[in-house]
Amino acid sequence: MIQDRFGRTHNYLRISLTDNCNMRCFYCMPEEDYDFTPVSKLMQAHEIEALAKIFVEEGVDKIRLTGGEPLVRKDAANILLALSKLPVKLTLTTNGTRLHEFVPVLREAGVRSLNISLDTLQADKFQVMTRRNLFDKIYNNIHLLIDHGFHVKVNMVVMKGLNDNEIPDFIAWTKHTPVHVRFIEFMPFSGNRWTSNKVVSLEEILAAIAIKYDYIRLQDAENDTAKGFTVPGHAGTFAIISTMTSPFCSGCNRMRLTADGKMKNCLFSRTETDLLSAFRRGDDVRPLIHQSIQDKAKELGGQFTTDFEHLHAETIDNRSMITIGG
Ligand code: SAM
Ligand code: SF4
């Protein structure tokens, strides 16, 4: 069992397969020119499998693949199938652009639920936010996966003045479609142009919904980072991930492995532990995993508090989101 000083048991590992991506979401990538990590520096498929196995032996029972965009990695299907042999709930977070190629593999790997990111329902705004003309592909793939019986959660990062006016449109989408929309408060990462006045808080999101809809609170699953709701009569649900105004750190069970094999004990951790180099040297990585979790801060990586109005993103010591794996 992997436990920290605050009694939190860590049974959920998020593995980034790559920092490469076929989109350019401005809130995720650093502003300056960014070179993707060369493939040779990334964890190889057999290394991902071996490290994941060690985590499972230490108590992990849920693994999420993320990135960058996990499905741009050429051996993504093989990695999915290899990890599906482990006794874990396997899932992934994807931008959805390649999902139509992966339906049989996802089935074979036993994936039942996945998170797909879509921040706007307007194709022209999508192009501005991602610098790619891929709205229709993603929207169609979301429906394709739902039609194939997958549980689809849609991640929507809410930003003031940009897409917050679309909150009711996303709720309208849940009326006849069994889609589970998750509104995410905008978070600060290295070089992502975050400012506190762009955050749309949990309260503000609920207020925007209440203008048009009555909603009810749903019972959250243990360790859930999202507060769930539904509008009675709607086929889908919605939830809010309120990392900035009401974080979920007290129930945190997450650990992260970056694509270059560094373990992060928190999304906002300042430090990281180089598991891949140790593994390549033939060292036992178990003590490193436990030490990393022992060193975990109580909340938000020890870097800020919910008093985020006075926060300056450049004072946070972290990677960019695309290199962490959200
Ligand atoms: N490429 C995949 C995707 O877009 O779903 C997986 C990686 S992406 C980094 C994972 C999630 O992080 C996405 O849902 C994305 O919207 C979210 N994300 C990225 N930057 C964020 C930020 N600054 N604040 C909140 N969420 C963010
Ligand atoms: Fe790529 Fe996902 Fe980041 Fe967008 S949010 S740039 S799709 S990794």
Side-chain angles (χ1 to χ4, degrees):
M1 199 154 80
I2 307 171
Q3 252 198 341
D4 73 359
R5 293 174 290 149
F6 308 99
R8 296 175 293 197
T9 301
H10 289 68
N11 61 335
Y12 179 10
L13 177 66
R14 301 164 76 102
I15 305 176
S16 171
L17 295 191
T18 176
D19 61 350
N20 202 333
C21 189
N22 54 348
M23 303 218 299
R24 296 288 180 273
C25 309
F26 74 86
Y27 57 78
C28 175
M29 303 197 65
E31 243 176 317
E32 66 275 13
D33 279 345
Y34 177 67
D35 293 325
F36 297 122
T37 308
V39 175
S40 62
K41 291 237 171 80
L42 299 179
M43 294 185 289
Q44 304 301 298
H46 70 278
E47 292 169 331
I48 293 173
E49 194 183 343
L51 285 169
K53 202 159 163 240
I54 293 169
F55 275 96
V56 170
E57 284 162 7
E58 297 304 296
V60 162
D61 58 12
K62 178 172 177 186
I63 293 181
R64 174 177 300 278
L65 301 183
T66 178
E69 173 47 39
L71 300 184
V72 300
R73 189 166 158 150
K74 287 199 171 59
D75 51 4
N78 290 341
I79 294 169
L80 270 161
L81 292 173
L83 296 183
S84 74
K85 307 279 185 309
L86 298 173
V88 291
K89 182 177 174 206
L90 183 61
T91 183
L92 70 158
T93 301
T94 170
N95 64 26
T97 53
R98 299 245 167 117
L99 276 173
H100 53 289
E101 300 164 31
F102 280 85
V103 173
V105 172
L106 293 173
R107 277 248 170 82
E108 197 182 335
V111 173
R112 302 295 319 132
S113 166
L114 66 168
N115 295 6
I116 306 174
S117 303
L118 186 65
D119 303 309
T120 172
L121 295 171
Q122 300 172 13
D124 48 348
K125 198 188 288 180
F126 181 89
Q127 168 116 31
V128 172
M129 291 179 75
T130 68
R131 290 208 267 131
R132 293 293 180 271
N133 182 16
L134 290 165
F135 173 81
D136 289 341
K137 178 126 271 172
I138 297 168
Y139 190 75
N140 292 339
N141 277 348
I142 289 172
H143 287 103
L144 177 78
L145 271 280
I146 292 172
D147 291 346
H148 276 88
F150 289 88
H151 183 88
V152 175
K153 298 180 191 168
V154 167
N155 286 352
M156 190 269 206
V157 181
V158 192
M159 285 165 277
K160 205 161 268 176
L162 184 60
N163 58 356
D164 54 339
N165 60 340
E166 291 189 61
I167 293 169
D169 302 344
F170 276 83
I171 302 294
W173 192 19
T174 68
K175 183 162 189 187
H176 299 296
T177 310
V179 63
H180 305 281
V181 174
R182 288 142 46 100
F183 299 109
I184 304 179
E185 289 178 351
F186 184 29
M187 297 183 256
F189 293 98
S190 232
N192 80 342
R193 291 183 250 174
W194 182 93
T195 51
S196 61
N197 61 0
K198 286 189 201 141
V199 176
V200 184
S201 69
L202 164 87
E203 296 290 315
E204 290 170 320
I205 294 169
L206 286 177
I209 295 168
I211 293 172
K212 221 169 152 187
Y213 296 98
D214 289 327
Y215 56 80
I216 50 171
R217 183 83 165 87
L218 295 171
Q219 178 77 42
D220 299 326
E222 209 195 342
N223 303 122
D224 224 333
T225 52
K227 296 177 173 66
F229 302 84
T230 193
V231 176
H234 280 211
T237 64
F238 72 94
I240 302 175
I241 301 183
S242 55
T243 312
M244 303 307 297
T245 62
S246 172
F248 312 83
C249 304
S250 62
C252 184
N253 63 344
R254 285 136 211 265
M255 305 171 276
R256 295 181 152 80
L257 201 49
T258 63
D260 58 353
K262 310 285 194 312
M263 177 173 171
K264 278 177 76 71
N265 59 23
C266 170
L267 185 56
F268 298 107
S269 69
R270 207 186 295 266
T271 57
E272 33 193 57
T273 303
D274 188 355
L275 290 194
L276 181 60
S277 297
F279 181 80
R280 285 182 175 169
R281 282 194 305 270
D283 295 350
D284 183 6
V285 299
R286 285 176 179 80
L288 298 178
I289 294 171
H290 287 278
Q291 189 58 53
S292 166
I293 293 304
Q294 276 301 307
D295 295 341
K296 179 162 171 155
K298 194 170 177 201
E299 61 175 25
L300 300 169
Q303 298 223 58
F304 59 99
T305 68
T306 50
D307 179 25
F308 67 88
E309 276 91 354
H310 307 294
L311 179 68
H312 294 283
E314 58 289 354
T315 61
I316 297 179
D317 189 5
N318 200 355
R319 293 172 171 234
S320 57
M321 181 60 128
I322 197 161
T323 63
I324 301 173

